[in-house]
Amino acid sequence: MLLAACAGAPLPRLEQQLPPGRSLLHLDTQPFPLLAGVSQTARPSPLLRIYIEGDGRAWITSTQPSLDPTPRDPWFALLALEDPRPSAWLARPCQYIRNQHCQVRDWTDARFSEEAVAALDQAIDQLKQRHASEHLELIGYSGGAAMALLLAARRDDVLAVQSLAGNLSPGLWVQQQKLSPLHGSLDPLEQRDRLRLIPQRHFAGNRDTAVPASLAHEWRRLLGAPACVEIIELPALGHDSGWQGVWRQWRTRPLACRPQAAGAAPAP
């Protein structure tokens, strides 16, 4: 199930900057293969953290889509791969590697499609098996936050979701930004009844114009009396800079609440 990532993958810069003891894997998932970053030694762990990449370079301009959604700067992957806890990083469909199913719509209007979520769901199963893990914590950057929430809504092993500059609801986001609807995409708000029960912490930069901090507050309000949703606003942070230092300070801090289910494992 797990194969070495092909040497010809775009942006060899990522391979060159991998922290010691980390490597890339090509996951055979359908309908899109996915690139993962993992520890070379997969020690067993009851809890596995999985970081989900952002939308990457989906658009060149406001009207011209990119022909390759691979992030130009792999900072989020490197942020994930320096986490000392058992963890893995997942690229989004058609980033770094692609197959015949990849079309422009898969990283534009349909970036949060059922097919994209299904591929990530399969990848998570493989990574969970690799670490013999029972529980997961999902951490998403930008559009990766929507994917983390969509995955948490369909799985029964996610203890918590965290996000950095997270697009928590694509529907709310396009309304706020006055953009065209993302036809073919799912929205986590459609699963609010389940998601309001999952502990969450969302970090938002108050200088982020791509995903404004107001989106996180509106997300929490629309969940309707959620069990635990923390919003951490960070001064002077934009959408894609400064997050490495912030995350190093916060990544070991537990959420302010714990899962409520009897017998549940401790929250991260």
Side-chain angles (χ1 to χ4, degrees):
M1 289 188 300
L2 301 176
L3 306 172
C6 58
L11 291 187
R13 177 180 173 187
L14 173 57
E15 292 181 301
Q16 295 167 2
Q17 295 185 61
L18 289 175
R22 303 294 192 266
S23 61
L24 299 178
L25 291 175
H26 177 159
L27 303 183
D28 185 17
T29 50
Q30 300 297 325
F32 307 105
L34 296 174
L35 186 67
V38 298
S39 298
Q40 291 173 353
T41 303
R43 67 181 189 273
S45 172
L47 177 67
L48 179 66
R49 275 185 161 171
I50 296 182
Y51 291 77
I52 302 175
E53 184 60 69
D55 294 343
R57 196 169 188 241
W59 294 84
I60 297 174
T61 69
S62 60
T63 58
Q64 182 182 0
S66 170
L67 297 179
D68 181 0
T70 300
R72 288 293 181 262
D73 184 343
W75 69 266
F76 182 72
L78 298 175
L79 171 150
L81 293 173
E82 70 171 26
D83 192 331
R85 294 187 179 188
S87 58
W89 163 80
L90 276 174
R92 299 271 293 284
C94 308
Q95 294 178 353
Y96 296 96
I97 54 176
R98 62 171 64 194
N99 64 4
Q100 70 276 13
H101 295 288
C102 288
Q103 305 293 328
V104 170
R105 70 182 301 270
D106 294 311
W107 55 86
T108 54
D109 283 357
R111 70 187 78 173
F112 308 112
S113 67
E114 171 61 33
E115 293 79 9
V117 178
L120 286 164
D121 200 32
Q122 296 166 48
I124 288 172
D125 284 342
Q126 294 180 25
L127 294 170
K128 184 180 173 185
Q129 181 179 8
R130 187 174 185 266
H131 286 268
S133 300
E134 294 182 52
H135 302 287
L136 302 168
E137 179 186 9
L138 304 182
I139 301 164
Y141 164 63
S142 191
M147 298 302 269
L149 290 166
L150 289 166
L151 289 159
R154 68 176 57 197
R155 301 183 65 96
D156 60 6
D157 52 3
V158 177
L159 293 186
V161 174
Q162 298 197 62
S163 73
L164 310 181
N167 182 352
L168 308 176
S169 166
L172 287 176
W173 177 68
V174 297
Q175 290 176 26
Q176 282 192 348
Q177 301 294 88
K178 296 181 171 56
L179 302 172
S180 300
L182 297 179
H183 297 295
S185 284
L186 305 175
D187 194 311
L189 271 180
E190 297 165 0
Q191 304 294 328
R192 72 185 78 188
D193 289 344
R194 180 164 175 80
L195 289 172
R196 68 166 56 99
L197 303 176
I198 297 177
Q200 302 168 40
R201 181 162 61 195
H202 304 298
F203 296 88
N206 61 16
R207 292 190 180 179
D208 188 345
T209 58
V211 182
S214 59
L215 182 68
H217 294 286
E218 183 68 0
W219 163 258
R220 180 169 59 185
R221 185 186 73 80
L222 290 174
L223 281 186
C228 169
V229 177
E230 295 179 68
I231 309 294
I232 310 296
E233 279 199 53
L234 300 161
L237 252 66
H239 190 65
D240 56 5
S241 61
W243 289 102
Q244 297 95 322
V246 167
W247 184 243
R248 290 184 192 112
Q249 296 174 21
W250 280 90
R251 66 189 178 192
T252 59
R253 299 189 195 183
L255 274 66
C257 55
R258 297 290 185 270
Q260 300 300 310

